[in-house]
Amino acid sequence: HVLVADHQRLHPREHQVVELRYFGGLSVEEAAEVMGVSRATVRRDWRFARSFLFQELREVVRIPIPADARQG
């Protein structure tokens, strides 16, 4: 998928977090240990990656943002 490839190319560390957490089933603590970074870094990268991927998917398939998910 182009979306995942773009994310991997643009944000390799965040992409690794997605691979470890989503596809590998690792916890924040486990992913941090594997990557050699802090838990806070994994949490931040996880939030960023989810947001990035959601926004990109939303543009591709035109998903409206739920009112409770809007920032503001």
Side-chain angles (χ1 to χ4, degrees), residues 17-70:
V17 170
V18 171
E19 288 181 333
L20 293 172
R21 302 247 17 244
Y22 186 77
F23 297 110
L26 273 60
S27 68
V28 168
E29 293 77 15
E30 292 166 330
E33 186 175 329
V34 167
M35 295 175 67
V37 298
S38 71
R39 291 185 307 266
T41 296
V42 170
R43 282 191 289 273
R44 183 175 48 250
D45 289 351
W46 180 240
R47 281 191 309 268
F48 175 85
R50 287 186 313 175
S51 176
F52 174 87
L53 292 170
F54 179 78
Q55 290 298 326
E56 293 296 312
L57 271 174
R58 189 174 151 270
E59 290 178 19
V60 170
V61 293
R62 307 265 185 224
I63 300 170
I65 299 175
D68 61 340
R70 292 186 190 132

